[in-house]
Amino acid sequence: MGDCHALWSRVLEVIATSSTPAIQSFFAGVRPVGLQHDRLIVRVDSPLVADWLRQRYRASIEAALQQLCQRALQLVVECAPHGAVTPVTPPPDEPPAPLSPSARTLPPPRPPATINPAFRFDTFVIGSSNQMAHAAAYATAQQPGKVYNPLFMYGGVGLGKTHLMQAIGHAVLQRQPRDVVHFISCERFTNQYIDALQNHTLSKFRDFFRANVDVLLIDDIQFLSNKERLQEEFYHTFNDLHMQGKQIVMTSDKSPQELQHIEQRMVNRFESGMVVDVQSPDFETRVAIIQKKLEQYGTQLDHDVCYYLANKVRNDVRKIEGALVKLLGYASVRHQAVTLDLARECLRGYVAAQCVTLDAIQKAVSDFFDVRIADLRSSKRPRAIVHPRQIAMYLCRELTTSSLTDIAQSFGGKDHTTVLYACRKIEQVKEQDEMINQQLHALKRRLGSSEERCEQVQ
Ligand code: ADP
Ligand code: MG
């Protein structure tokens, strides 16, 4: 029994590194009850929660178990009200699972399957915000290494970049099961590189990435910022793979041009294939995403509840999912149906959705600095106008998910490089100039925005 508790808390630690607080609170109700042979048994109170665990989280839990125990363990989910069933005890001669404390830091010789089984093209909802990215990802998956190489997808948090990237992996493996598809976060790539340096196994590391991989999916490439040696290493990995016609797919929270402290030659490589952005989903897409998720969970909700949810959380699909899981869990533990009233009660803590628009930012800046909106949108150059204009452009970039081109357009049809220049300028001066920092805070407060884009989950 003790072993299963220790193992389960290690599993939770591993899962916590890649999940949201909403998902983690969902795991809080899961009780480990036994470790038998190659099975870890957990128990939950609700059939719905049991289904989610089996359908959505089994793969990540079993991957974590494999990582921790260095052997395959199966997750068994039992459903029974708390205290209603005699706990399962392991037979006396059962050897405890070997917990390897270093397992999380040392890369296994062959990386475990880290692709989420749910991140496929058929579970991805297409809308105007992600249509281009989806089309590029889909085409890449049909002809890896041939059409868009590299494929660079960028956009805000929780908008489906990793999902699309992993969907490419699934699709390639389905067509060409012998291909080696390797998904890795840039952070993990960094850690493996550092380990290889320390353990003098750099040639093995290079062999793996440069000679063994057919499709390299590298997530959150912005992590390369400020890491010169790592950039050098990745530059050569990239070139080697590219020269062999192997597919490289990258995601980032910024466009290649906006990435800071990354060598120009890297930026040039990133831009040499296809660069696409992913934007926040509109209302219809959000509703469709909620419905798709419900389908995956094997449950349904009334339209009015879906609409309510889609209005409540707008910008980040991960947060929409978090709110949905919270709502279903809330209803399940109360043994109540999900009604609009219940949704209101459960999601009371979520801030009312208020997306900051480009117009609202220009209006707020115009009031704050006492300059006319027409002047902000003009090409006039006096400092009294240039500074507010740059602040407004910076806030548009920070508080909305509009593209540089859209922002430039809203400022009287300027070029997107003007917005880029303004953002960099403000980014630089705000570090040194407390007054500018205060101006930014004051404006954000007026716009009713927290540090993050649009509305947030509390
Ligand atoms: P990102 O990598 O952009 O931060 P993810 O790809 O991790 O975001 O997506 C966050 C969550 O939202 C995932 O569970 C993903 O399945 C879901 N998601 C995002 N966009 C979509 C979409 N268009 N259709 C279905 N699910 C989506
Ligand atoms: Mg991601």
Side-chain angles (χ1 to χ4, degrees), residues 161-162 219-220 318:
K161 301 181 298 293
T162 303
D219 208 12
D220 293 321
R318 194 177 287 123

Side-chain angles (χ1 to χ4, degrees), residues 56 116 118-119 123-127 129-130 155-164 219-220 251 278 281 285 289 292-293 296 316-319 321:
R56 287 189 51 79
N116 186 327
F119 287 2
T123 54
F124 191 81
V125 175
I126 307 165
S129 55
N130 57 35
V157 175
L159 299 183
K161 301 181 298 293
T162 303
H163 187 137
L164 275 179
D219 208 12
D220 293 321
T251 65
V278 186
T285 314
I289 290 174
K292 189 72 151 184
K293 299 288 167 194
Q296 282 171 255
D316 177 339
V317 180
R318 194 177 287 123
K319 285 181 178 156
E321 242 183 309

